[in-house]
Amino acid sequence: MLSSFICSLFFLTQFRLSFSLSQYCLTKFLCCGSSRNSNHVIKMAMWVFGYGSLIWKAGFNYDDRLVGFIKDYRRVFYQGSTDHRGTPEYPGRTVTLEPAPGEVCWGAAYKISKEEDKETAITYLEVREKQYDKKAYVDFFTDPLATTPAISGVMVYIASPDKKLNPNYLGPASIEDIAKQIVRAEGPSGPNREYLFQLEKALLQIGCKDKHLMDLANEARRILSESEHTAS
């Protein structure tokens, strides 16, 4: 009986110790975050994924930039722009993300570590991306063969197709019609076609050939070439 009691007491003590350690580890994880590249992290860095103009123009201070992709999304020129690359009278078109199981969207992820830089970046992005009504937190990969993400919880801005929340959403159209709209539109940030060609260039520089984007860029160049011949 005494030996059974001692064994039970030992088991209970070990269980409580194990449970306390588990609680401690969970608390440290939730408060401080985790990194696959280091043993411990004091404060969690903020990561932002860019799949449009953020690829070539971040606009905020950052500590690191990684090229990579997110899964099960694709980039589409379905968002109307009335504040950057168009006007309310004649909207331009910029990219957003739509769910696409099995597909990937390449871009760049930015690491922001300092608290003051995080606050500045969020304030800046909330203005820059104000027509994007949704924020998602996604897994980011750098290796096409990897099954484990390089970083989890990366923030990305998305313009949803919900017209009540996002009145500037334009949605699908033919390549010809989207390209015509892009060629003609211009806003405070410049011509819409400049955005298209800059994004094409930025993606090619990181080795990404986005068919939807390249088809639009080629059609836009065809329209511009025809306009030049007509003018001459």
Side-chain angles (χ1 to χ4, degrees):
M1 289 290 291
L2 180 59
S3 61
S4 297
F5 175 76
I6 292 172
C7 287
S8 298
L9 183 62
F10 175 78
F11 175 81
L12 181 60
T13 303
Q14 290 294 100
F15 175 80
R16 286 178 174 174
L17 177 59
S18 176
F19 181 75
S20 297
L21 286 172
S22 297
Q23 281 187 312
Y24 173 78
C25 291
L26 179 61
T27 301
K28 292 294 284 182
F29 175 80
L30 292 174
C31 293
C32 303
S34 65
S35 171
R36 291 182 173 84
N37 299 319
S38 60
N39 293 327
H40 48 266
V41 177
I42 302 303
K43 288 185 178 180
M44 182 182 286
M46 182 175 81
W47 286 86
V48 179
F49 178 65
Y51 57 92
S53 60
L54 283 176
I55 297 176
W56 76 85
K57 183 182 178 182
F60 51 81
N61 293 330
Y62 58 90
D63 305 297
D64 197 8
R65 177 183 184 271
L66 296 179
V67 170
F69 59 91
I70 60 175
K71 293 183 177 182
D72 299 325
Y73 285 99
R74 74 184 193 108
R75 178 180 15 242
V76 287
F77 273 80
Y78 291 174
Q79 174 65 4
S81 176
T82 60
D83 60 342
H84 286 300
R85 298 292 180 170
T87 63
E89 295 73 29
Y90 198 94
R93 278 185 180 254
T94 54
V95 290
T96 183
L97 296 176
E98 70 172 10
E103 295 193 34
V104 300
C105 178
W106 284 83
Y110 297 91
K111 179 184 179 182
I112 309 164
S113 300
K114 296 178 182 178
E115 292 303 311
E116 58 268 32
D117 287 344
K118 291 180 193 177
E119 292 176 9
T120 302
I122 285 292
T123 301
Y124 170 75
L125 288 169
E126 287 295 306
V127 174
R128 176 171 169 172
E129 311 294 337
K130 64 185 178 182
Q131 295 191 345
Y132 286 63
D133 59 298
K134 179 181 174 184
K135 285 196 287 285
Y137 296 86
V138 297
D139 289 336
F140 177 80
F141 297 79
T142 55
D143 181 357
L145 300 178
T147 56
T148 303
I151 311 156
S152 293
V154 178
M155 184 175 73
V156 58
Y157 285 84
I158 299 173
S160 78
D162 187 336
K163 294 286 284 185
K164 290 182 180 178
L165 298 175
N166 178 22
N168 287 313
Y169 183 77
L170 296 176
S174 68
I175 290 295
E176 293 78 11
D177 286 345
I178 294 177
K180 284 178 185 176
Q181 186 171 357
I182 289 173
V183 165
R184 294 172 184 170
E186 185 170 351
S189 296
N192 200 179
R193 59 182 177 271
E194 179 184 74
Y195 171 92
L196 171 64
F197 296 142
Q198 284 272 23
L199 182 52
E200 179 191 35
K201 179 181 176 182
L203 287 172
L204 288 174
Q205 286 176 342
I206 64 174
C208 172
K209 293 184 178 181
D210 185 309
K211 186 178 184 306
H212 174 69
L213 186 147
M214 294 183 74
D215 286 348
L216 282 171
N218 288 333
E219 179 63 16
R221 279 188 282 267
R222 187 191 67 78
I223 293 170
L224 288 168
S225 178
E226 280 189 357
S227 297
E228 289 175 3
H229 285 309
T230 302
S232 61

